[in-house]
Amino acid sequence: MMSQAHQTTSQHLDEASQQLLKLLEQADPEVSRHMAAEAQRQSNTLELIASENHVSSAVMHSMGSWLTNKYAEGYPGKRYYGGCEFHDQIENLARDRAKALFGCAHANVQPHSGASANIAAFMAMCKPGDRILSLPIKSGGHLSHGLKPNFSGTFYDIVDYDLDPETELLDYDEIRRIAIETKPRMIICGYSAYPRTIDFAAFRSIADEVGAVLMADIAHIAGLVAAGVHSSPFPHAHIVTTTTHKTLRGPRGGMILTDDEEIAKLVDRKVFPGSQGGPLMHVIAAKAIAFGEALDPSFETYARNVVTNAQAMATALVEKGYRLCSGGTDNHLVLVDLQPRDAELTGADAERWLEMAGIITNKNGIPNDPRPPMVTSGLRLGTAAVTTRGLDAGAMVEVVELLDRVMGSQGDESECQSVCESVRSICERFPL
Ligand code: DSN
C-alpha cells in the first residue's frame, strides 16, 4: 500500500523518481517512507536557504547509478584500478565542461565537498603554520577559512580582516593595510553570507603587493560567475575552490580550478592522495551533467532571474521595515538584521516560526552580532532554489508579505497555518 504522503508527492514527481520510490517501497519501506516525505516537503515548501537548490532529474538520478560501484583512485589515464575506461571518459567530460564554464586551464572535479576542496587547496598552497588572511565566519566567511576548531584554524596561523562597521562592505584599503602589516602566505576571498560583489582584481593587487597567493572560494556565487552575472575570479585568483550544489545547481560536491600549471599539479596531488581516496564517480557524472546544463544559454537567464528575485525580495523587505546588512544585494542572497523590526526577535525564532509556515530559511549571525551563533539576530535568505521552480519578482513580493505576517504574529500557530496554505498555493503555481 502506498502511503498518503507518497501518493500526494507522486503527483509532482517525474517518472524516474516515482519508480525509485516504488522500488524503495519494496526494498526498504522504512527508508522509503522518510524519502517520500522529504520529496513532499521539498515540493510543498519554499526553500530560501541561500546555499540550497533543486537539481534536475538527470543530475539527481545519475547519482543513483552504476558508477557508485567503482573504485577509480587516480586520474583519467592513470588509475590504481582496472575497469575505469568509462569513468575516465566521464571525468574528462566533467573537467572539460568545468574549464569551458569558468574559462580556466585546469579543473579537479574530485573533491567530495567545498570543505574538502579547501583542505586540498590549503595543502597545495601553504605549509602547516603558514599565515592566512581571511574574513571570519562571524562576519560572513566560512568555517573552513580559519575557524579555530576547523582544520584551517588548527593547522594554520589565521589573521582576520573584517567588514567596514558602517557600510558592512569589504574595505579594500583596510584589507591592504592588514596584509602589509601581517604578510600572509595566502589571502582568501569568497564568502557564505556576503550579499555584495567581490572585487577580485582589487584582492589580486593586494596579494601581489605582499607576495601572497590569492584563493577565491566561490562556493555561493559559482552559478552567477559561470553565467557571467558576477565577475569572474579569473584571471585574478591563483586558485579557486567551489561547491557544485548551490547557485551552480549541480550535485553536492566540490571542485578546484586554476590557470597555473604548477598549481594544477600540486592541487591534483593534494586532492589524491593528499586528502582523499576513491573519487565519488557517480557524483562526478552528475557534475558533468550539471556543467552541461550550465553551459546551455538558458542557464544565464536563470542566473539573471536569481539576482532579480533577490533584489525584488530586498526591496520588499526594506518596505516592510527590515534592515538589510550592507543595505541590499548584488547576488543571490540577502542578510536581514531582525533587530530594527523587533528588538526581541532572534534569528532562531524567525527560522522556527517560518518553518512552521512552510518557508525554509536559516538563522545567521549579522556583522557584530551580540547574540551567539545558535541564536543570532539575523536571517539569511537566498533565491537560487525558488528561482529554479519559476518564482518571479512578483512572487518574491508575495513571499515577503507572508514572511512578514509570520514575524508580525510572533509565530502564532493559526497565523502560521494560514500562511502555510498560501505557501502551498504558491508551490502549486510553481511546481518543481
Ligand atoms: N553551509 C554552507 C552555507 O550554508 O553557506 C556553506 O558551506
Side-chain angles (χ1 to χ4, degrees), residues 51 142 192 220 246 380:
S51 47
H142 189 252
S192 292
H220 264 263
K246 297 183 174 102
R380 189 184 64 165

